[in-house]
Amino acid sequence: MLSNIHDSVKDNLESFGHKHTHIMAAFCLYGAYTVGSTALSWSWRLFKTFLRPGRNLFKRYQGGYVLVTGATFGLGLEYARQFAAKGFNLVLVARNQEKLDAVKRKFKEEFGDIDIKLIVFDFDKPYTAEGYQPLKDALDQIEDISVLINNVGALKADYFNDLDIDMINTMMQVNLVPQTVMTKFMLPKLLERSKNQGKRTAIISLSSVAHYTRMRRSTIYSATKSFNKTLSDVLRKEYGEYIDIMAVLPGVTKSQMITFDAPFVLQPEQHVRWTLSDLGYNSQTFGHYKHWIYGNAYRLPGFEAFYTRLRLRLLAQKKKEQDK
Ligand SMILES: NC(=O)c1ccc[n+]([C@@H]2O[C@H](COP(=O)([O-])OP(=O)(O)OC[C@H]3O[C@@H](n4cnc5c(N)ncnc54)[C@H](OP(=O)(O)O)[C@@H]3O)[C@@H](O)[C@H]2O)c1
């Protein structure tokens, strides 16, 4: 029975092929094009991810100051460390003077004679010209800014209905306002350096893989991280000719926000090292290849449902253990 069906399908295809050779040729060409372009695109992605050497960033940006928001812990601290190790001067912004002083002392011991400026500012408040004036005054003092790293962020994972309204407000303020306002304050200086002094500049903005994953228990966080990604994408269209503008979409990385261990949880050092090797080339990066795999896998059909079930099961298990 099956072999009869098989023979009849084969005969029909053969006779169709004989009668409509031009249609068959078009199908073959389209197939070859699809396979060829997919193979090329994946080869290019693999090359970019694993083989392409990073740029010499000190040479590309000709030194200058790297400004990092949220620089006392996690990814921000590590961005500051890796730029300091390359010889850049630093401007570190965070809300706690003691922590900033401790970072400065440590970096001075590690990296010697680089200049480090500190700005104490709490971003957990709405924008008002008056409230942001002290920050603006401090930023106005900085000459020769070469890289702005919009890093500061806040996360609280829970179902929307269980999120405290004050925490929702904090996430909106800390994830949206500083990236917008810092860029607004620093853009004229970055453009002046690039256009008039002929020295290239960069803006690195921390979004998150949550921009793609949009998982349950991350409504506000995912929404704010999509804002970060969109802001960066459109700024790049407007100013990418002069400034390297890159959105960063890390997966889970050890920090104050993320305190658990798992095979896909990276150390900030790994994330930042891989991310900086994409600076000056990419408009966006997941950073490390593990997060690149995770970010791309998430977009495959069925992956999200599978991963969400797994995650919710693990969370339920953890809650059961805590309740015991
Ligand atoms: N870690 C991850 O898995 C992950 C994944 C994707 C994206 N990201 C993004 O990466 C960025 C950094 O995340 P992280 O995990 O490194 O964060 P983190 O460990 O919580 O560190 C945040 C830094 O920002 C400072 N900060 C927090 N709130 C502040 C405020 N209101 N005003 C001024 N400074 C403040 C903190 O200072 P204090 O020490 O005083 O709190 C700390 O220096 C965020 O934009 C986040 O969304 C992180």
Side-chain angles (χ1 to χ4, degrees), residues 25 30 47 54 73 79 113 121 129 141 157 160 180 192 198 200 205 214 227 233 243 273 323:
Y30 181 70
F47 168 74
F73 207 88
Y79 276 107
D113 58 356
F121 192 78
Q141 307 299 315
F160 185 73
T180 314
E192 155 70 19
R200 231 182 142 71
S205 291
R214 296 167 184 190
F227 173 95
D233 287 349
I243 306 175
R273 188 160 35 86
D323 291 347

Side-chain angles (χ1 to χ4, degrees), residues 70 72-73 75 95 99 122-123 151 221 225 253 255-256:
T72 51
F73 207 88
L75 277 61
R95 60 185 161 183
K99 289 184 188 176
D122 188 348
F123 289 107
N151 167 76
Y221 184 72
K225 290 289 132 182
T253 310
S255 68
Q256 269 173 171

Side-chain angles (χ1 to χ4, degrees), residues 120-135:
V120 183
F121 192 78
D122 188 348
F123 289 107
D124 191 1
K125 57 183 166 204
Y127 174 82
T128 61
E130 207 185 8
Y132 267 70
Q133 194 61 45
L135 177 65

Side-chain angles (χ1 to χ4, degrees), residues 208-250:
S208 165
V209 76
H211 162 68
Y212 287 119
T213 57
R214 296 167 184 190
M215 286 183 289
R216 287 170 177 80
R217 303 179 79 250
S218 77
T219 42
I220 298 300
Y221 184 72
S222 296
T224 58
K225 290 289 132 182
S226 289
F227 173 95
N228 299 155
K229 172 74 167 62
T230 305
L231 181 70
S232 184
D233 287 349
V234 183
L235 280 168
R236 187 177 161 97
K237 286 186 185 164
E238 292 181 352
Y239 304 106
E241 190 184 337
Y242 306 104
I243 306 175
D244 296 333
I245 298 180
M246 183 168 80
V248 185
L249 301 98

Side-chain angles (χ1 to χ4, degrees), residues 19-39:
K19 281 189 211 152
H20 304 283
T21 44
H22 52 292
I23 296 180
M24 290 304 280
F27 267 125
C28 289
L29 269 177
Y30 181 70
Y33 167 77
T34 308
V35 171
S37 60
T38 308

